[in-house]
Amino acid sequence: MTTDTLTLRALNRATLARQMLLAREEISVTEAVGRLCGMQAQEPRPPFLGLWTRLGGFAAADLRAALDGGAVVRATMMRGTLHLMTAADYLSFRTAIQPVLDAGLKVLGARAEGMDRDAVLPVARRLLEESPRTFNETRALLQAEFPDVNERALGFAVRMCLPLIMVPTADRWGFPRSARFALAESRLGEAPSDTPAVDELVLRYLAAFGPASAADAQAWSGLPALGEVLERLRPRLRAFTGERGRELFDLPDAPRPDADTPAPARFLPEFDNLVLAHADRTRVISEAHRPGLTTKNLRVRATFLWDGFARGTWELERKRKTATLRLRPFEPLPRGALEELAAEAESLVAFAEPEASDLQVVSEP
């Protein structure tokens, strides 16, 4: 059986279309977060910038309202990292991700010595049923109950093994530095589904990031052996071959624009899933430039796209009334690129730093 081949540019444009990066969409915050199947939210600000770059007319108040009303939640999900999810997706997929979170406990090593999760988790649940708590508070209370167990191990086990949701506040980006956590059922009125809906999760991944391989889906979710899932789903999918010879799966009716479709300049925030959601990331960034995405302490840098591909990183700083966005291209940009990037950057600065009276965009070597 032969399959169609997708060029790198065709793969790029298909992914950008799913990610709402070919044109800003006029949809609600909740619909956008659902279409993206979550947004990485290790820090509170990046999802606001990520939605700004994808949605027409987006205002920070839109996301704060969705968080306050419970339509969107911030919780530990894919790869054991914090994500924004729609409440419906969180309830549907939290159980599917639990094996990833269980595996994450291995990082505790000897610190987990003497810890009995079956004893710890009911106590933690009782404490959080009494009131939402920060993890500093939760760890201290658990340490009093289990004085011979490492305090950090207690807190980490609770974070990984109980369905918890961060409680939003009136802070500018929705959450304080040390946020309180609540049990999902307390915050949403119901507990996550007991059914591990892995098949549906993989289909949603393809809708948001496809066409993609099993290895890509595994890199995004942290789940192993998704090749078996894709084989089970094969009758419902369309298969392609990438330029590197990998088999790629996709939903039959998903958008796959022409490879020559124009891609506007776009700015992605730190930790954006577009640059994290595939094992083979050449559809977005070259192998030569990929190492520059991550700092020594594992922060994922903010990137900018030109002609659909990551061409450099950017940083935004504010000093008094002056806000400066610094572009750091990986290599010299094509003629005309800087002008388009600067126009988009000025709009981003105006959104991110509305109180600044002086906006500057600087390109550095």
Side-chain angles (χ1 to χ4, degrees):
M1 177 179 177
T2 60
T3 57
D4 294 335
T5 298
L6 284 176
T7 66
L8 183 63
R9 285 185 67 85
L11 192 56
N12 170 269
R13 294 313 195 252
T15 307
L16 295 184
R18 321 295 170 86
Q19 288 287 303
M20 297 176 276
L21 291 168
L22 291 180
R24 284 184 165 92
E25 303 272 352
E26 299 289 341
I27 58 176
S28 72
V29 162
T30 303
E31 185 178 352
V33 174
R35 280 177 54 176
L36 296 168
C37 202
M39 302 181 72
Q40 182 137 334
Q42 287 296 93
E43 296 176 356
R45 186 180 79 158
F48 285 83
L49 305 187
L51 287 170
W52 175 86
T53 208
R54 290 172 166 94
L55 300 183
F58 172 73
D62 299 336
L63 178 52
R64 288 197 297 266
L67 290 164
D68 290 342
V72 173
V73 300
R74 186 180 178 206
T76 301
M77 282 292 288
M78 284 73 73
R79 305 184 299 279
T81 57
L82 288 168
H83 275 69
L84 290 193
M85 304 288 294
T86 67
D89 283 349
Y90 178 78
L91 293 171
S92 295
F93 299 133
R94 174 61 174 71
T95 298
I97 294 296
Q98 188 58 53
V100 179
L101 309 182
D102 289 339
L105 293 175
K106 294 177 182 178
V107 303
L108 291 173
R111 289 178 295 173
E113 184 176 345
M115 182 173 64
D116 181 353
R117 274 195 284 169
D118 291 338
V120 171
L121 296 182
V123 174
R125 179 176 288 276
R126 172 176 57 79
L127 293 171
L128 291 162
E129 284 173 344
E130 293 173 357
S131 173
R133 302 180 189 276
T134 68
F135 261 92
N136 285 338
E137 294 169 340
T138 302
R139 284 193 298 265
L141 291 168
L142 287 172
Q143 184 78 89
E145 296 271 356
F146 302 96
D148 296 328
V149 181
N150 180 279
E151 180 185 25
R152 292 286 170 178
L154 290 168
F156 193 65
V158 172
R159 185 185 293 267
M160 294 291 106
C161 298
L162 286 184
L164 303 177
I165 289 172
M166 276 190 174
V167 179
T169 64
D171 286 73
R172 181 184 179 191
W173 303 115
F175 298 92
R177 183 176 295 276
S178 181
R180 294 183 302 153
F181 285 76
L183 292 167
E185 54 263 47
S186 298
R187 181 75 184 161
L188 301 178
E190 60 180 300
S193 168
D194 291 333
T195 304
V198 177
D199 287 18
E200 181 60 28
L201 181 64
V202 170
L203 291 172
R204 292 287 300 283
Y205 167 72
L206 293 177
F209 296 98
S213 68
D216 292 328
Q218 291 166 184
W220 169 77
S221 65
L223 288 166
L226 292 185
E228 299 172 6
V229 176
L230 286 165
E231 283 300 323
R232 185 164 62 244
L233 293 171
R234 185 181 287 273
R236 301 169 57 182
L237 302 174
R238 185 173 173 185
F240 296 89
T241 301
E243 284 188 355
R244 293 186 168 191
R246 293 184 175 91
E247 186 174 33
L248 306 172
F249 295 90
D250 203 7
L251 305 182
D253 298 327
R256 288 179 290 274
D258 187 86
D260 294 328
T261 300
R266 288 290 184 260
F267 285 80
L268 302 177
E270 296 94 336
F271 307 105
D272 196 278
N273 268 346
L274 179 68
V275 299
L276 295 172
H278 301 89
D280 179 359
R281 301 177 192 175
T282 54
R283 71 179 67 201
V284 176
I285 185 169
S286 71
E287 292 289 0
H289 297 148
R290 180 171 166 176
L293 283 182
T294 307
T295 67
K296 292 181 180 179
N297 60 354
L298 301 182
R299 287 184 59 82
V300 180
R301 291 187 170 101
T303 57
F304 63 85
L305 306 181
W306 168 253
D307 190 29
F309 292 87
R311 299 300 179 96
T313 62
W314 63 272
E315 294 179 0
L316 178 60
E317 64 177 4
R318 179 179 163 190
K319 294 182 178 179
R320 297 179 181 175
K321 289 293 185 178
T322 299
T324 303
L325 190 148
R326 301 183 187 279
L327 298 170
R328 295 190 171 91
F330 295 134
E331 56 190 20
L333 295 169
R335 181 177 298 179
L338 188 58
E339 183 177 347
E340 184 180 346
L341 285 162
E344 181 74 0
E346 288 175 3
S347 296
L348 172 58
V349 174
F351 169 78
E353 296 292 349
E355 297 180 0
S357 56
D358 183 18
L359 310 180
Q360 298 181 3
V361 178
V362 179
S363 181
E364 298 182 349

